Structures are given as structure tokens and as C-alpha cells.
Amino acid sequence: MSAEGDHPVPVSPVEQRVAALEAVLTERGLVPEGFIEESTRRYESETGPMNGAKVVARAWVDPDYKQRLLAEGTAAIAELGFGGPEGHHMVVVENTAAVHNVIVCTLCSCYPWPVLGLPPAWYKDPPYRARMVREPRALLAEMGCPLPGDVEIRVWDSSAEVRYLVLPQRPLETEGMTEAELAGLVTRDSMIGVARLSAGR
């Protein structure tokens, strides 16, 4: 029971069904006790944007790796130990001064879990999926990523067959930073393409 003044967090019908399914699977011994919690923990702490950030930082400091990454994303990402379900076919697209890339999934919410972890809620929302295709410049501006009119915007539609990762531009004045420090600058949103990076993030 919640304390006075507290409001219980509403549980959606989908969350109720998931909880019921989890209880049945655990009760029947089809899923080991704690398996789902451990899987969730792994996706939140071990499989997430920090993996993609390491890929980006390596590309920034190693031109040969960057070339391999842009030519064959899946294999280059696997060099750093990342891959698996939802990341079997990865394509990496590079942001430049003239071109800005952004990822969407118009059919559902296909997303590169091995390098970005769980998708943000807004990525799955129909308005994002529809508007990013129709009016990407306006939507990016609303999301805090205004782009000059002369920058070309390329929208990449993820699918069950291929997932995309944006290679953001390396921020200026980061020449003396280590690879680990550079990785600390990289955000999930910059690898989706809805944000640009600065040395101060």
C-alpha cells in the first residue's frame, strides 16, 4: 500500500500480460527463477549504448577500423565482441558536415540491441516513425537537433533484415582525448541520429 500522498504507478494491459506470462512460465519450470530479471539486467548494464560508444570511439581513432566499419558493419562490430540477436546484419552510416543520418523503423521498432540496448519509448511511437520520414528536419529541430538548411538529411528505415547505426561526427577539440574518454562523449541519441555531439556533450 502506498504512503499517504503517493500515487501508484499505473500498469498497462501489456505489462499485466507480460507479468502473468512470466509467472506461468516460472511456475511451470519453463524459465529458471530469476532468468528474466537477469536478462533485463544484462540488457540494461552490459548490452546497451556503451557498446555502440566503444565502436564509435574506435572508428574515430583508428582509420583502418573506420573503413572496415563502413564497409562491413556486422564484422567490424564483432571485432569488438558485440553482436547477436537484433544485430545480425548491421550497416553503419557516417555523419559529415554535409550529411546527417537518422534511423527509424516505420513498420514496428526494429533496433540494433547489441550496440544500443533497449529502444527508447519515443522510437516506437507512431508519430516519430511517421514524421521522421515525412518531415525529418522539423522533427529533429523539435527534438533539439536543428540542422542548417544546406545539410542533407538521410533517413534509414530499419527492418528485420538490416539494422543501422549512425557514426556521429567527432566533436572538435577532442584531439588529446583517449579512446575511453571519447567513448564517454557518445550518446545513444547521437547513434540514432536525433542528436549531435560536442566536446561537452
Side-chain angles (χ1 to χ4, degrees):
M1 187 170 180
S2 61
E4 186 176 349
D6 289 348
H7 299 284
V9 177
V11 179
S12 72
V14 171
E15 291 172 314
Q16 292 174 354
R17 289 195 296 271
V18 169
L21 180 60
E22 179 182 342
V24 169
L25 292 174
T26 302
E27 179 183 313
R28 295 186 180 176
L30 299 173
V31 175
E33 187 73 35
F35 173 80
I36 294 175
E37 291 80 2
E38 174 62 14
S39 297
T40 302
R41 183 199 65 76
R42 286 189 63 240
Y43 269 109
E44 290 176 345
S45 63
E46 298 175 17
T47 303
M50 72 286 291
N51 293 349
K54 291 174 183 175
V55 171
V56 169
R58 177 65 55 86
W60 284 347
V61 301
D62 184 340
D64 290 336
Y65 179 77
K66 176 180 175 181
Q67 186 174 16
R68 295 195 302 276
L69 183 67
L70 295 174
E72 182 48 67
T74 309
I77 290 169
E79 289 180 33
L80 300 188
F82 310 130
E86 312 300 327
H88 288 306
H89 185 188
M90 293 290 305
V91 172
V92 179
V93 290
E94 181 184 15
N95 280 355
T96 67
V99 175
H100 184 88
N101 298 281
V102 63
I103 302 167
V104 68
C105 178
T106 56
L107 293 178
C108 51
S109 57
C110 293
Y111 191 75
W113 288 31
V115 287
L116 292 186
L118 301 172
W122 52 261
Y123 183 84
K124 299 179 280 186
D125 283 345
Y128 172 81
R129 289 155 43 194
R131 291 188 63 207
M132 191 55 78
V133 173
R134 290 198 319 264
E135 47 181 358
R137 194 176 303 274
L139 181 55
L140 285 169
E142 290 174 22
M143 297 180 77
C145 185
L147 296 169
D150 60 350
V151 172
E152 177 188 355
I153 300 175
R154 296 178 183 168
V155 179
W156 300 88
D157 193 358
S158 290
S159 69
E161 287 74 36
V162 60
R163 310 292 165 98
Y164 294 94
L165 178 73
V166 173
L167 175 60
Q169 284 183 278
R170 180 172 175 170
L172 298 175
E173 302 176 1
T174 59
E175 292 78 8
M177 297 179 72
T178 67
E179 187 173 333
E181 289 171 334
L182 288 169
L185 298 177
V186 183
T187 65
R188 176 201 65 197
D189 287 1
S190 71
M191 293 181 284
I192 297 174
V194 296
R196 285 182 143 185
L197 296 175
S198 64
R201 296 182 74 166

